[in-house]
């Protein structure tokens, strides 16, 4: 799915939402590397992000298909992060499901941008015809869990010690879903 540019105001700040384009690849790759270093809530450490611009461009192309979406957000003209969903399967039995993810630079968290992105993704997923959105959140990510619950996501399972950090500590993964 391609999202046309959409401008809105959020607490006095100009927000631009649009679909990612292949020439955004270096920006998205750098975001993933930076955000992975800013938080323990993504699946990799910063030094594990070793994708090329070409690989990221191919991912962007895949996310531009009719049943996937990759939204990028700009906050007062500065790239702030992204939100995406993609089909959980191609068979008739599971093509009603989409997996959802979001990543924002730390300095843009807590400003309402995550909610704006998630709400837009939910609307788009409904338009495509999905009836279930699914996500995984790290158990220690209280802010994200609160946001997801406020948007109607419910916990349906947990994987203990899913994440082992370099300092030897662990966190669980919580699986959540929202019926559309």
């Amino acid at each position: 799915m391609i999202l046309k540019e959409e401008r809105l105001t959020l607490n006095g700040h100009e927000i631009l939402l649009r679909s990612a384009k292949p020439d955004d690849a270096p920006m998205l790759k750098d975001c993933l590397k930076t955000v992975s270093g800013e938080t323990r809530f993504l699946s990799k450490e910063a030094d594990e992000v070793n994708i090329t611009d070409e690989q990221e461009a191919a991912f962007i192309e895949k996310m531009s298909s009719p049943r996937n979406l990759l939204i990028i957000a700009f906050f007062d003209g500065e790239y702030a992060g992204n939100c995406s969903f993609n089909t959980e399967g191609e068979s008739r039995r599971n093509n009603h499901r989409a997996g959802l993810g979001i990543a924002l630079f730390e300095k843009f968290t807590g400003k309402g941008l995550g909610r704006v992105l998630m709400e837009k993704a939910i609307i788009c997923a409904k338009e495509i015809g999905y009836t279930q959105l699914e996500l995984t959140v790290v158990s220690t990510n209280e802010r994200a869990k609160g946001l997801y619950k406020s948007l109607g996501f419910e916990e349906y399972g947990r994987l203990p010690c899913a994440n082992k950090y370099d300092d030897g500590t662990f966190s669980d993964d919580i699986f959540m879903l929202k019926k559309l």
Side-chain angles (χ1 to χ4, degrees):
M1 175 178 205
I2 301 296
L3 179 70
K4 294 180 182 177
E5 281 194 11
E6 185 175 320
R7 294 181 186 277
L8 55 115
T9 302
L10 176 65
N11 301 321
H13 298 279
E14 182 181 310
I15 306 300
L16 170 66
L17 304 178
R18 68 169 171 83
S19 282
K21 302 171 189 169
D23 60 351
D24 294 321
M27 180 176 68
L28 270 68
K29 181 185 75 171
D30 291 344
C31 175
L32 179 58
K33 188 169 191 74
T34 300
V35 173
S36 293
E38 291 178 334
T39 181
R40 294 166 63 113
F41 304 140
L42 296 184
S43 62
K44 294 181 178 189
E45 298 291 338
D47 63 347
E48 295 177 295
V49 178
N50 296 316
I51 55 176
T52 65
D53 290 348
E54 293 75 21
Q55 289 169 319
E56 185 68 12
F59 173 74
I60 292 168
E61 285 288 341
K62 174 187 164 205
M63 295 303 291
S64 299
S65 73
R67 294 187 46 82
N68 299 333
L69 177 64
L70 174 54
I71 306 169
I72 61 175
F74 296 85
F75 190 94
D76 289 335
E78 187 176 351
Y79 179 61
N82 62 76
C83 183
S84 65
F85 63 78
N86 60 293
T87 186
E88 286 291 328
E90 299 299 327
S91 73
R92 288 189 311 274
R93 291 184 179 182
N94 59 21
N95 69 7
H96 65 288
R97 301 168 44 213
L100 181 66
I102 186 169
L104 296 175
F105 286 109
E106 180 69 28
K107 71 181 189 176
F108 296 110
T109 63
K111 300 181 182 299
L113 184 58
R115 176 175 298 280
V116 167
L117 281 164
M118 295 285 291
E119 288 173 346
K120 178 53 73 175
I122 291 167
I123 289 167
C124 292
K126 284 181 185 177
E127 287 175 7
I128 289 172
Y130 287 112
T131 59
Q132 184 168 302
L133 282 175
E134 304 166 10
L135 59 81
T136 303
V137 61
V138 174
S139 60
T140 55
N141 192 345
E142 297 300 328
R143 185 185 289 169
K145 288 188 304 187
L147 171 62
Y148 303 152
K149 287 178 184 177
S150 75
L151 292 169
F153 285 83
E154 297 178 358
E155 181 176 339
Y156 70 89
R158 186 179 284 251
L159 180 60
C161 298
N163 306 287
K164 181 179 180 185
Y165 301 104
D166 288 343
D167 65 4
T169 61
F170 294 86
S171 66
D172 298 350
D173 272 350
I174 297 174
F175 304 111
M176 302 182 83
L177 67 83
K178 176 179 175 65
K179 297 285 188 180
L180 303 176

